[in-house]
Amino acid sequence: FDEVAFSFNGGKDSTVLLHLLRAGYASVEAREHVSSEHVCSKPKHPIRTIYFENPGAFPEINAFTYETAKTYGLQMEIIQLDFKSGLEALLKEKPVKATFLGTRIGDPNAVGQEQFSPSSAGWPPFMRVNPILDWSYRDVWAFLLACKVPYCKLYDQGYTSIGSIHDTVPNGLLCIENSSGSKEKFRPAYLLADGRLERAGRMKRSSFRARDTKVAVSNGTDDIVPYDNSTLAASIIGVGDEILQGAVEDQLGPSLCRKLHSIGWAVTYRAVVPNDIDAIFEAVEQRIQVSDMVFIFGGVGAIHSDVSVAGVAKAFGVRLASDEEFEEYLRHFVGEDCPGDHNEMARLPEGITELLQHDELPVPLIKCRNVIVLSATTVPELDLQWDCLLELQKDKDLLPVKPPYVSKYLRTTFSEVEIAEPLSKIDAEFPDVSIGCYRESRIASHVKMLNQQIQPTVVVTFVGK
């Protein structure tokens, strides 16, 4: 026991690990003293426990950590340096061979780790031991609730993944609709239906754009724009150097916008990025934090420039790993040309990927938390994949169908200057209706105006529910 340590941070995962270690030690102790009447004088938990006290930690986390140490007799050593510097100082003073960590697949720091992983280059040498690496969100809560062990009270206030006070808010998916206008309330963390959205409350304040505030509501912190309970917001990211070079016209983006509007989703962002992992990573990382769903198309395939899936993996901080089920689908679809275990197309984001299977699809679509990767390259292919998604929605609640958006158009020969003031008043009176204005074919209108001495046609658009 002198050669191992336990890193405890007061979160749900390390709380699970604490009680697994206590149970393991109790089992060893029971075997050693089974034939002895001597009362063991060892502490309740002999494993050296390390707590890195962060100035940005929630007071509730600190309070729970110290109370837990007192309750279970933890030999807790408090470090107030950053993780690496603190660990170096600690291990220099009293070396250990291994450290137990509450890391799970899907955590940003889980990339590349196994149950036993040597420390990275540049770090003090020790073995990282990850006993609950493969545990799901549901597994964690099943354990805590079944064993009736105390956990930090923040989890009962809607927090599902706790970081610092600067980047963590309650998970909007647990928000209880409140018509009275008073302070919002949230259901406990263990009621989150989809554990893959565990980190939906871990947000970057600086990443939210003003354009997103129109379709989102606050979930408890004034300067955060989180999940919206009424209007569902989608982002569309197209990947393709050919589109940016003007060699190919993007037909999928506009078609997908229309499809989303038809089921009542607001498209708050649409962009085309190059076939570059970092460009895809930046776009996806930004949009997953402010969108209910992000759709990405292009850059999916077997050639060197098909890096969309890798960009998605980087955005979620996970590695790519071979998926045997997906590889089998590819083998049936591609045939003998599929190069077995070395098939790069079968490498998917580890721990966060769900395969969306449908009888009409030769290969499943890829869903990573709130990102859907579409393999369509033509509008007919997109039509097929969209229809399959809507059918799967009935069982999986992928794309909740809302009242559709309706568009109306008014053509007039009045100029933009003449209609500007009344349109502004109408826009202010009906904030739920998006009102726009454009000239219909500026060149054609200008020629017609010169030849026939008439005003160009102005089109006023009204879009809403």
Side-chain angles (χ1 to χ4, degrees):
F1 289 111
D2 294 335
E3 295 180 306
V4 295
F6 165 46
S7 178
F8 184 61
N9 63 12
K12 62 185 186 303
D13 298 334
S14 63
T15 300
V16 165
L17 185 52
L18 164 65
H19 293 291
L20 289 174
L21 291 172
R22 288 183 60 241
Y25 175 66
S27 177
V28 171
E29 188 180 44
R31 286 199 303 270
E32 290 180 353
H33 299 281
V34 67
S35 59
S36 172
E37 295 181 359
H38 175 69
V39 178
C40 180
S41 59
K42 292 181 181 178
K44 295 179 183 179
H45 186 75
I47 297 177
R48 184 182 186 188
T49 303
I50 305 168
Y51 177 53
F52 291 87
E53 191 174 80
N54 187 329
F58 282 85
E60 294 88 345
I61 283 287
N62 282 333
F64 172 74
T65 301
Y66 295 128
E67 183 62 31
T68 300
K70 180 180 178 182
T71 301
Y72 299 108
L74 306 184
Q75 301 179 57
M76 196 162 74
E77 299 179 46
I78 301 169
I79 308 298
Q80 295 179 324
L81 301 171
D82 66 89
F83 191 82
K84 185 177 179 181
S85 301
L87 203 57
E88 287 175 340
L90 204 65
L91 297 183
K92 185 176 181 181
E93 177 187 342
K94 187 180 178 183
V96 296
K97 290 186 177 180
T99 300
F100 288 100
L101 301 167
T103 301
R104 289 193 296 116
I105 288 293
D107 294 346
N109 62 339
V111 179
Q113 290 203 46
E114 305 293 343
Q115 275 77 12
F116 291 87
S117 292
S119 54
S120 304
W123 284 68
F126 67 95
M127 182 65 75
R128 292 175 290 186
V129 186
N130 303 308
I132 63 170
L133 187 67
D134 293 325
W135 283 41
S136 68
Y137 182 83
R138 189 182 296 260
D139 293 333
V140 168
W141 280 110
F143 179 93
L144 292 173
L145 297 176
C147 295
K148 297 182 174 63
V149 294
Y151 53 81
C152 180
K153 64 182 182 181
L154 287 175
Y155 292 112
D156 286 335
Q157 300 170 18
Y159 290 83
T160 52
S161 177
I162 301 174
S164 77
I165 57 176
H166 305 297
D167 65 4
T168 309
V169 294
N171 192 321
L173 292 162
L174 294 170
C175 184
I176 301 171
E177 291 192 17
N178 190 343
S179 59
S180 65
S182 59
K183 187 176 180 180
E184 290 172 302
K185 295 183 179 179
F186 296 84
R187 293 185 292 274
Y190 56 78
L191 293 180
L192 182 67
D194 189 347
R196 293 166 300 177
L197 298 175
E198 168 187 359
R199 297 179 67 84
R202 299 286 285 271
M203 301 181 175
K204 297 178 181 177
R205 295 164 188 254
S206 60
S207 68
F208 296 100
R209 300 284 184 97
R211 73 161 90 205
D212 296 298
T213 64
K214 191 171 183 179
V215 296
V217 295
S218 172
N219 74 347
T221 306
D222 293 339
D223 56 347
I224 295 286
V225 184
Y227 190 86
D228 166 51
N229 291 301
S230 55
T231 301
L232 296 172
S235 292
I236 300 173
I237 300 171
V239 178
D241 293 335
E242 298 85 355
I243 299 174
L244 292 173
Q245 293 162 0
V248 175
E249 182 180 350
D250 174 22
Q251 296 181 336
L252 300 191
S255 179
L256 192 52
C257 284
R258 291 190 290 271
K259 293 179 186 301
L260 286 161
H261 271 206
S262 73
I263 63 169
W265 282 56
V267 178
T268 58
Y269 177 88
R270 177 179 157 224
V272 177
V273 299
N275 293 80
D276 176 78
I277 291 179
D278 288 333
I280 298 166
F281 149 67
E282 290 173 3
V284 173
E285 184 190 42
Q286 180 193 73
R287 301 316 304 175
I288 57 178
Q289 299 181 68
V290 293
S291 304
D292 297 294
M293 192 67 73
V294 176
F295 294 86
I296 184 168
F297 62 86
V300 179
I303 63 175
H304 68 282
S305 60
D306 292 327
V307 292
S308 291
V309 174
V312 171
K314 186 172 181 179
F316 283 111
V318 302
R319 66 179 182 177
L320 291 175
S322 295
D323 187 294
E324 293 181 2
E325 182 182 5
F326 193 64
E327 187 170 347
E328 190 63 27
Y329 277 104
L330 288 172
R331 188 173 288 110
H332 281 92
F333 179 61
V334 181
E336 296 303 320
D337 295 332
C338 185
D341 293 338
H342 301 289
N343 183 11
E344 287 297 312
M345 289 176 65
R347 288 165 57 80
L348 303 178
E350 187 175 44
I352 62 171
T353 297
E354 177 185 1
L355 297 181
L356 304 179
Q357 304 172 23
H358 190 282
D359 292 341
E360 296 294 323
L361 296 175
V363 176
L365 298 178
I366 299 167
K367 180 175 181 290
C368 301
R369 294 183 181 163
N370 62 330
V371 175
I372 293 179
V373 181
L374 299 167
S375 56
T377 57
T378 65
V379 171
E381 289 177 355
L382 177 62
D383 291 342
L384 173 62
Q385 293 181 9
W386 179 260
D387 290 342
C388 292
L389 282 175
L390 291 185
E391 284 194 30
L392 291 171
Q393 144 68 19
K394 298 172 184 176
D395 297 324
K396 295 179 176 290
D397 197 30
L398 285 172
L399 299 170
V401 178
K402 299 282 187 175
Y405 279 91
V406 178
S407 301
K408 297 293 181 183
Y409 303 88
L410 172 69
R411 287 173 171 80
T412 176
T413 55
F414 284 114
S415 70
E416 291 104 316
V417 175
E418 290 175 290
I419 65 175
E421 186 177 348
L423 275 187
S424 295
K425 292 179 179 179
I426 295 171
D427 186 60
E429 187 177 351
F430 300 96
D432 292 338
V433 180
S434 174
I435 302 175
C437 180
Y438 65 91
R439 285 188 185 181
E440 194 173 44
S441 183
R442 288 174 179 267
I443 296 177
S445 297
H446 184 64
V447 171
K448 187 181 295 184
M449 181 182 67
L450 290 176
N451 294 337
Q452 301 180 19
Q453 297 183 346
I454 62 173
Q455 292 289 333
T457 301
V458 171
V459 180
V460 183
T461 62
F462 302 88
V463 181
K465 293 297 186 80

